[in-house]
Amino acid sequence: MLRRICESAKWPNGCVNNDSADEKHEEYQYISLIRDILDSGELIKGRNGNTLTVCGGTMHFTLENNIIPLLTTKRVAWKTCLKELLWFISGSTSNHELRNQNVHIWDGNASREFLDSRGLQHLPEHDLGPVYGHQWRHFNAKYDGCYVDYSNEGIDQLKNIIIALKNPDERHSRRLVMSAWNPCQLDEMALPPCHILVQFHVTKDNKLSCSLYQRSGDIGLGVPFNIASYSFLTHLIAKHCGLHAHEFFYHIGNCHIYDDHIEALREQIKRKPILFPTLNITKIRETLDDYQFDDFEISNYNCHKKIKMEMRK
């Protein structure tokens, strides 16, 4: 029986050596998950199309030495990913703010047609409801639209984690948890969250690790983004709190491949991974909200060419 549990060794940059990427490269966890789904996935007709599906997947990536696990068997649009992450951190739920940065990954879920299909006729187009940013920064605050100032409303989960991590007496807590899954407001959201629960851990030598639980993972398009996004977040929080980014643990409940992504992924798994790039965050800002896109520098991102797959709404 194929296993979906990571058994990766801690090699430099995910590899046995720094000259080539062999079978120890951490990206092979992702490739193995694809193969597992292609070989043993169950064909399921879902809300937005047919998928090959397996239950339960786990991956583990080192973040030591400034490594950022941007997948290399295809090009990951890391700039788009980082802009979306900073949008989450800001607490915004307006798709206009993403579109103004030429980020269009939420357009399908922000359209008038899609919002109406969710029973959200009262929301203007491009208002996504109380999605990730609202829950991260204003958990369960009454939602009155994306242009309302929610300062000091709800629970600022992210701020509370930062406060704890900066306190040597609190940073080892097992309660450094942030949830995007709020059953009280799911029906107000354009799309219920997929990556729903994140926990931070500090171990000896002030090393910061992150565990993410994702209820639903689109293996072809979403998962490479999620690996990058939460690795960026871990590096950022570590930098901001005077810690060292250490590891990212990724747990997926429903792992699926859309039927029209199958051939693209069959091509991708033929490719050999390349060494992961590194990340430099150039300055420490006063608050997490103050960080800007230009504060992040990626070096040596060498990868195979882009593979086109259509995003499902």
Side-chain angles (χ1 to χ4, degrees):
M1 181 175 68
L2 291 169
R3 302 185 67 193
R4 290 183 285 276
I5 299 176
C6 163
E7 296 179 347
S8 66
K10 297 178 182 178
W11 303 99
N13 207 353
C15 303
V16 167
N17 59 57
N18 289 322
D19 297 320
S20 63
D22 68 6
E23 293 295 332
K24 292 293 186 181
H25 195 297
E26 290 176 347
E27 189 164 344
Y28 278 111
Q29 298 169 94
Y30 175 71
I31 292 172
S32 294
L33 180 56
I34 294 172
R35 286 181 174 145
D36 190 2
I37 298 170
L38 293 176
D39 291 342
S40 59
E42 178 182 356
L43 185 61
I44 294 178
K45 184 176 182 179
R47 171 186 62 84
N48 57 355
N50 297 329
T51 61
L52 286 176
T53 301
V54 300
C55 297
T58 297
M59 289 177 272
H60 161 227
F61 298 91
T62 183
L63 305 177
E64 294 275 5
N65 301 315
N66 298 320
I67 291 169
I68 183 80
L70 302 178
L71 298 185
T72 63
T73 49
K74 72 168 185 180
R75 183 162 191 84
V76 175
W78 67 267
K79 294 180 181 180
T80 295
C81 177
L82 179 55
K83 289 174 183 178
E84 182 195 43
L85 173 64
L86 294 174
W87 177 71
F88 290 158
I89 290 171
S90 75
S92 176
T93 58
S94 169
N95 189 48
H96 286 298
E97 293 191 12
L98 291 176
R99 288 167 62 89
N100 289 341
Q101 301 177 73
N102 199 31
V103 174
H104 297 282
I105 54 179
W106 281 86
D107 284 1
N109 299 114
S111 70
R112 179 75 272 151
E113 178 186 11
F114 188 84
L115 291 173
D116 289 351
S117 75
R118 288 277 294 154
L120 301 174
Q121 291 86 354
H122 62 288
L123 291 181
E125 193 169 26
H126 298 296
D127 185 334
L128 293 160
V131 292
Y132 296 98
H134 189 80
Q135 302 306 328
W136 284 17
R137 308 308 305 268
H138 311 285
F139 188 88
N140 210 37
K142 184 178 183 296
Y143 191 77
D144 292 315
C146 63
Y147 301 112
V148 172
D149 182 358
Y150 294 98
S151 298
N152 301 315
E153 294 187 30
I155 305 298
D156 192 337
Q157 300 182 87
L158 187 54
K159 181 180 178 180
N160 289 344
I161 287 172
I162 297 300
I163 291 172
L165 288 174
K166 287 188 171 185
N167 185 339
D169 295 327
E170 295 183 25
R171 63 175 52 143
H172 298 286
S173 172
R174 297 186 294 270
R175 302 176 182 179
L176 303 178
V177 173
M178 181 170 68
S179 174
W181 188 263
N182 180 359
C184 298
Q185 295 186 319
L186 290 180
D187 290 341
E188 300 177 53
M189 303 178 191
L191 191 69
C194 293
H195 34 107
I196 63 175
L197 190 75
V198 61
Q199 181 179 7
F200 294 96
H201 321 266
V202 177
T203 53
K204 64 180 180 179
D205 302 322
N206 292 328
K207 292 183 176 182
L208 180 70
S209 295
C210 170
S211 297
L212 171 66
Y213 179 77
Q214 183 163 331
R215 66 172 180 87
S216 174
D218 168 4
I219 301 301
L221 284 180
V223 165
F225 247 57
N226 302 137
I227 294 170
S229 183
Y230 282 87
S231 297
F232 273 125
L233 180 62
T234 307
H235 274 291
L236 173 58
I237 291 176
K239 178 81 170 185
H240 186 71
C241 296
L243 303 169
H244 306 287
H246 183 41
E247 296 173 307
F248 171 52
F249 298 92
Y250 187 19
H251 312 280
I252 312 172
N254 183 292
C255 311
H256 54 268
I257 294 174
Y258 287 102
D259 54 4
D260 59 348
H261 294 176
I262 289 174
E263 291 310 312
L265 290 173
R266 288 193 190 280
E267 179 61 31
Q268 185 173 346
I269 62 177
K270 297 176 184 177
R271 299 176 175 181
K272 185 175 182 178
I274 304 167
L275 295 178
F276 286 145
T278 56
L279 169 67
N280 178 38
I281 300 174
T282 59
K283 60 185 68 178
I284 299 177
R285 300 279 186 175
E286 183 175 350
T287 72
L288 214 63
D289 306 80
D290 296 330
Y291 286 91
Q292 303 171 14
F293 177 83
D294 290 340
D295 296 333
F296 298 77
E297 294 179 348
I298 295 291
S299 299
N300 300 315
Y301 184 32
N302 300 308
C303 59
H304 294 266
K305 65 182 181 181
K306 178 180 178 180
I307 296 178
K308 184 172 177 57
M309 286 175 264
E310 294 297 324
M311 181 179 290
R312 297 295 185 94
K313 294 188 290 183

